[in-house]
């Protein structure tokens, strides 16, 4: 150092430097430290402009942290990038151009343990003269002695920020815990929607949102999402296009969210953020959020909270759907049970006992209720009416149509009309009261004991077999079209005579179309063979033989693909 510089440094008083360092180190408040650092330097240097920028390592930029007399640079050079490294105090041409543009003519990096933590700069001296070597040395010494105070204030700032963040996290966890109890205490989706709306407003200051959830039966398509809650938006904002795009996101996007500035298709909707919820590769819900009332952007921490909150609401809503489905299922099962009871009451509770005739009946629905119909009615003069039918389809619709058939037949029984006329009447009733795709295959016959004659009409049904005592087989085919195809159809009467030992087997296609595990049909040939082989047994023995063979063929009675009646 030259003698002149030494004299200048002595003028600024080394003790003053030491006292300033001690004074700054006594405080951990960043604003206090930086402002007093500026004031001390500016008063000694006789300058009216001074500023401090703090270095952000992550972005490689300097952020304006304090300034005196530099109001004109606020908003212009709040963030600056200095590519030219400064090893020490610089003046004149060595000052980075971006600082010169802000009328900074002397600058020095602030380092702590070789780590760059900031930058301090000053304007021209009020006297208009150049900075002396001693003044430059003073700035260098002041910055070096104050760097630990600046560093300590920054560390305290970071700790305070971390503590605030930790406090916020604790508060969020407590909020989520309380909300989880609220969500799980009810299955009322309107209540779920209110809780979600209040939580988003209270925690995120988000007054606009749409909450979408898929039902369990939508997961196979992975395309449908239903609006559960909507506030501030019109429900039309959840367009099919947006829902389709939401359903296409991957797990990573679900966690980080979709931002409007990154997705042009969100720009025109007013949606600021979309957080999808993905479970096992399927999109099960989404939260669409508008801008925050504070105008602040959504941070990664905000998304984590909203993601957890949304999952709570999603689980609660899905549970409410499942409970509703379970209740509906139980109600349906009860209704089906009652329908089954009613249908069983429509069938003969016992078979007539008539000398010379042996009767047996089997009716197995493939579901709770059946579309097959079987009936036995004693008429006058020792006659016996037997009927069997098969409604298209299975389950409740088929059972209702079967009930109509039963009612129509029993209305006609007391009337003095022929089998052909009765069949035509029944056909008109069915054709007028059913759709074009609903029809019934039907067969009924009257056996007259006195002459052993059998009159019948077959309306498109599987032809019953007459297995004679010598094992010959005849089919009862005379009749006409299925019931319900068209009104006004005429039917033909078929007749035959039964001899002692003859077996009449009436059945629905559930018998012949019973499927093996290899998807092979039982078929008519197998049925005829069993009937022939057991023709000398009682009616019940013959029926049991057929039933057992079908069980053996299909592997299980529960594997029936259609109602089975015989």
């Amino acid at each position: 150092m030259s003698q002149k510089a030494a004299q200048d440094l002595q003028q600024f008083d080394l003790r003053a430097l030491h006292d300033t360092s001690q004074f700054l180190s006594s405080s951990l408040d960043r604003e206090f430290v930086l402002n007093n650092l500026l004031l001390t330097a500016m008063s000694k240097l006789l300058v009216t402009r001074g500023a401090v920028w703090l270095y952000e390592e992550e972005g490689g930029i300097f952020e304006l942290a304090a300034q005196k007399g530099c109001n004109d640079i606020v908003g212009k050079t709040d963030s600056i990038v200095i590519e030219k490294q400064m090893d020490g105090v610089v003046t004149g041409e060595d000052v980075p151009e971006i600082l010169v543009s802000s009328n900074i003519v002397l600058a020095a990096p602030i380092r702590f343990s070789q780590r760059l933590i900031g930058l301090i700069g000053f304007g021209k001296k009020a006297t208009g003269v150049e900075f002396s070597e001693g003044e430059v040395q003073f700035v260098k010494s002041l910055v070096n002695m104050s760097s630990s105070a600046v560093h300590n204030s920054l560390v305290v700032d970071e700790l305070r920020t971390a503590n605030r963040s930790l406090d916020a996290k604790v508060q969020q966890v407590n909020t989520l815990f309380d909300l989880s109890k609220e969500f799980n205490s009810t299955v009322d989706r309107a209540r779920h929607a209110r809780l979600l709306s209040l939580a988003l407003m209270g925690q995120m200051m988000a007054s606009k949102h749409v909450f979408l959830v898929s039902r369990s039966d939508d997961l196979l398509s992975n395309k449908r999402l239903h609006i559960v809650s909507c506030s501030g938006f019109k429900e039309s904002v959840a367009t099919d296009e947006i829902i389709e795009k939401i359903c296409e996101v991957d797990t990573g996007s679900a966690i980080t969210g979709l931002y409007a500035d990154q997705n042009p298709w969100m720009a025109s909707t007013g949606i600021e953020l979309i957080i999808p919820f993905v479970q096992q590769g399927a999109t099960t819900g989404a939260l669409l959020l508008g801008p925050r009332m504070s105008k602040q952007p959504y941070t990664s921490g905000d998304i984590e909270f909203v993601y957890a909150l949304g999952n709570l609401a999603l689980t609660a809503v899905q549970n409410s759907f499942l409970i509703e489905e379970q209740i509906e299922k139980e109600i349906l099962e009860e209704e089906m049970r009652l329908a089954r009871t009613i249908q069983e009451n429509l069938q003969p509770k016992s078979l007539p006992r008539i000398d010379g005739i042996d009767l047996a009946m089997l009716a197995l629905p493939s579901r709770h209720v059946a579309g097959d119909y079987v009936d036995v009615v004693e008429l006058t003069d020792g006659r016996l009416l037997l009927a069997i039918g098969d409604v298209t389809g299975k389950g409740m619709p088929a059972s209702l149509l079967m009930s109509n058939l039963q009612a129509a037949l029993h209305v006609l029984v007391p009337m003095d009309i022929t089998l052909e006329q009765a069949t035509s009447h029944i056909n008109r009733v069915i054709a007028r009261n059913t759709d074009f795709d609903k029809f019934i295959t039907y067969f009924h016959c009257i056996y007259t004991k006195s002459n052993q004659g059998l009159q019948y009409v077959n309306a498109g049904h599987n032809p019953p077999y007459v297995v004679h005592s010598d094992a010959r087989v005849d089919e009862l085919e005379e009749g006409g079209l299925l019931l319900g195809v068209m009104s006004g159809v005429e039917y033909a009467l078929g007749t035959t005579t039964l001899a002692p030992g003859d077996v009449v087997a009436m059945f629905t296609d559930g018998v012949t179309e019973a499927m093996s595990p290899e998807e092979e049909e039982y078929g008519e040939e197998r049925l005829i063979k069993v009937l022939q082989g057991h023709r000398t047994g009682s009616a019940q023995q013959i029926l049991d033989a057929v039933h057992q063979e079908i069980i053996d063929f299909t592997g299980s009675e529960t594997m029936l693909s259609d109602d089975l009646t015989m």
Side-chain angles (χ1 to χ4, degrees):
M1 183 186 301
S2 67
Q3 184 178 0
K4 179 68 168 58
Q7 292 173 347
D8 288 341
L9 181 58
Q10 186 176 7
Q11 179 184 350
F12 287 117
D13 191 358
L14 291 174
R15 182 174 294 277
L17 283 174
H18 178 267
D19 291 343
T20 300
S21 174
Q22 293 295 314
F23 175 65
L24 295 180
S25 299
S26 67
S27 175
L28 296 175
D29 181 87
R30 186 186 71 174
E31 185 176 351
F32 176 87
V33 171
L34 296 181
N35 283 332
N36 280 281
L37 174 61
L38 283 175
L39 289 173
T40 299
M42 292 170 65
S43 65
K44 295 294 184 179
L45 296 174
L46 300 179
V47 298
T48 59
R49 294 175 66 85
V52 176
W53 290 265
L54 296 177
Y55 184 61
E56 295 287 344
E57 291 184 359
E58 186 175 347
I61 60 176
F62 291 85
E63 295 280 355
L64 183 64
Q67 59 85 20
K68 298 294 180 184
C70 299
N71 292 327
D72 57 321
I73 71 173
V74 177
K76 298 180 181 178
T77 55
D78 288 354
S79 299
I80 59 176
V81 176
I82 298 178
E83 297 179 357
K84 182 179 179 181
Q85 185 176 358
M86 294 182 293
D87 294 329
V89 180
V90 294
T91 59
E93 295 180 354
D94 294 329
V95 177
E97 184 179 346
I98 193 168
L99 295 179
V100 174
S101 66
S102 298
N103 295 318
I104 300 297
V105 297
L106 183 148
I110 304 174
R111 299 181 185 276
F112 181 80
S113 299
Q114 304 303 315
R115 173 173 166 245
L116 180 63
I117 60 174
L119 169 69
I120 190 169
F122 301 99
K124 295 179 180 179
K125 289 175 66 68
T127 59
V129 299
E130 299 292 329
F131 289 104
S132 67
E133 185 179 349
E135 290 172 327
V136 172
Q137 187 63 35
F138 166 77
V139 171
K140 179 178 180 181
S141 299
L142 179 63
V143 169
N144 288 340
M145 296 178 70
S146 304
S147 62
S148 62
V150 175
H151 174 264
N152 291 339
S153 69
L154 293 178
V155 170
V156 170
D157 259 10
E158 292 174 358
L159 289 174
R160 286 173 178 165
T161 301
N163 286 334
R164 285 195 296 269
S165 177
L166 181 59
D167 288 342
K169 289 292 184 184
V170 171
Q171 181 183 357
Q172 288 180 353
V173 169
N174 289 334
T175 300
L176 290 172
F177 179 73
D178 292 338
L179 286 171
S180 69
K181 292 190 291 184
E182 292 290 337
F183 278 120
N184 293 327
S185 66
T186 179
V187 293
D188 182 0
R189 283 195 293 278
R191 170 77 172 154
H192 296 156
R194 287 194 297 273
L195 286 172
L196 178 63
S197 182
L198 290 173
L200 289 173
M201 183 63 186
Q203 295 292 324
M204 295 290 108
M205 296 296 289
S207 60
K208 300 170 68 175
H209 78 273
V210 179
F211 185 40
L212 304 169
V213 178
S214 68
R215 298 191 62 143
S216 58
D217 52 356
D218 300 328
L219 293 181
L220 293 178
S221 65
N222 195 23
K223 291 294 180 185
R224 297 183 60 195
L225 294 172
H226 306 276
I227 295 178
V228 172
S229 175
C230 184
S231 176
F233 285 113
K234 292 182 178 180
E235 292 193 357
S236 57
V237 72
T239 63
D240 291 339
E241 179 185 8
I242 285 184
I243 290 176
E244 185 174 352
K245 289 181 179 295
I246 292 172
C247 291
E248 291 174 354
V249 303
D250 57 26
T251 304
S253 296
I255 295 172
T256 58
L258 305 175
Y259 291 90
D261 58 355
Q262 299 170 344
N263 296 276
W265 49 273
M266 292 168 56
S268 61
T269 63
I271 299 172
E272 182 82 8
L273 176 68
I274 295 178
I275 301 179
F277 303 102
V278 180
Q279 297 174 348
Q280 297 180 348
T283 302
T284 54
L287 255 177
L288 286 57
L289 301 179
R292 303 175 73 172
M293 296 180 68
S294 63
K295 306 301 181 183
Q296 295 296 316
Y298 291 98
T299 65
S300 58
D302 294 333
I303 293 179
E304 289 177 3
F305 174 77
V306 174
Y307 190 77
L309 172 64
N311 270 311
L312 285 178
L314 178 67
T315 302
V317 169
Q318 287 180 328
N319 286 341
S320 73
F321 281 136
L322 291 175
I323 291 172
E324 282 184 1
E325 291 170 4
Q326 181 63 30
I327 292 173
E328 291 173 359
K329 180 181 178 183
E330 290 176 358
I331 292 174
L332 179 60
E333 287 178 350
E334 177 63 15
E335 291 176 348
M336 295 294 280
R337 187 190 66 79
L338 293 174
R340 175 73 177 270
T341 301
I342 293 171
Q343 190 174 53
E344 289 175 348
N345 290 335
L346 294 178
Q347 294 179 354
K349 293 182 174 58
S350 61
L351 297 175
R353 295 181 178 274
I354 301 175
D355 291 340
I357 299 176
D358 187 16
L359 294 173
M361 183 181 75
L362 174 68
L364 297 175
S366 62
R367 298 186 180 180
H368 289 286
V369 289
D372 282 2
Y373 170 60
V374 63
D375 212 345
V376 180
V377 182
E378 283 190 87
L379 304 176
T380 58
D381 304 326
R383 294 179 302 157
L384 189 66
L385 171 66
L386 301 101
I388 192 168
D390 187 1
V391 180
T392 55
K394 296 179 282 295
M396 186 66 76
S399 72
L400 292 174
L401 194 51
M402 183 275 282
S403 300
N404 287 337
L405 173 61
Q406 193 260 4
L409 176 63
H410 280 258
V411 168
L412 295 172
V413 164
M415 299 181 183
D416 187 19
I417 58 177
T418 64
L419 277 178
E420 313 96 285
Q421 292 171 330
T423 309
S424 295
H425 282 306
I426 295 172
N427 177 62
R428 279 193 293 273
V429 171
I430 300 301
R432 289 172 183 171
N433 293 284
T434 58
D435 295 331
F436 69 92
D437 60 338
K438 296 295 182 184
F439 50 84
I440 302 173
T441 67
Y442 180 67
F443 175 92
H444 60 182
C445 64
I446 294 178
Y447 174 72
T448 304
K449 180 181 177 181
S450 59
N451 60 11
Q452 298 181 340
L454 187 73
Q455 295 181 323
Y456 69 89
V457 175
N458 190 334
H461 194 72
N462 300 74
Y465 297 132
V466 178
V467 182
H468 297 283
S469 57
D470 60 0
R472 289 181 299 107
V473 177
D474 292 330
E475 297 183 0
L476 307 180
E477 300 177 306
E478 291 294 327
L481 284 176
L482 319 94
L483 303 180
V485 174
M486 64 177 67
S487 185
V489 176
E490 298 295 328
Y491 290 89
L493 180 71
T495 60
T496 188
T497 301
L498 300 180
D502 287 350
V503 176
V504 180
M506 299 168 11
F507 57 93
T508 60
D509 59 10
V511 174
T512 54
E513 294 178 4
M515 286 285 187
S516 70
E518 293 77 26
E519 297 188 356
E520 179 186 2
E521 288 188 354
Y522 180 69
E524 296 178 356
E525 291 184 5
R526 289 186 176 88
L527 175 58
I528 292 174
K529 189 174 181 180
V530 175
L531 293 173
Q532 290 173 325
H534 294 81
R535 66 185 185 278
T536 59
S538 67
Q540 190 63 52
Q541 288 172 339
I542 298 172
L543 199 59
D544 290 344
V546 175
H547 186 201
Q548 186 58 52
E549 179 147 318
I550 290 174
I551 292 175
D552 295 340
F553 182 78
T554 60
S556 172
E557 186 174 88
T558 60
M559 294 297 290
L560 293 176
S561 59
D562 198 0
D563 305 326
L564 187 152
T565 305
M566 191 172 184

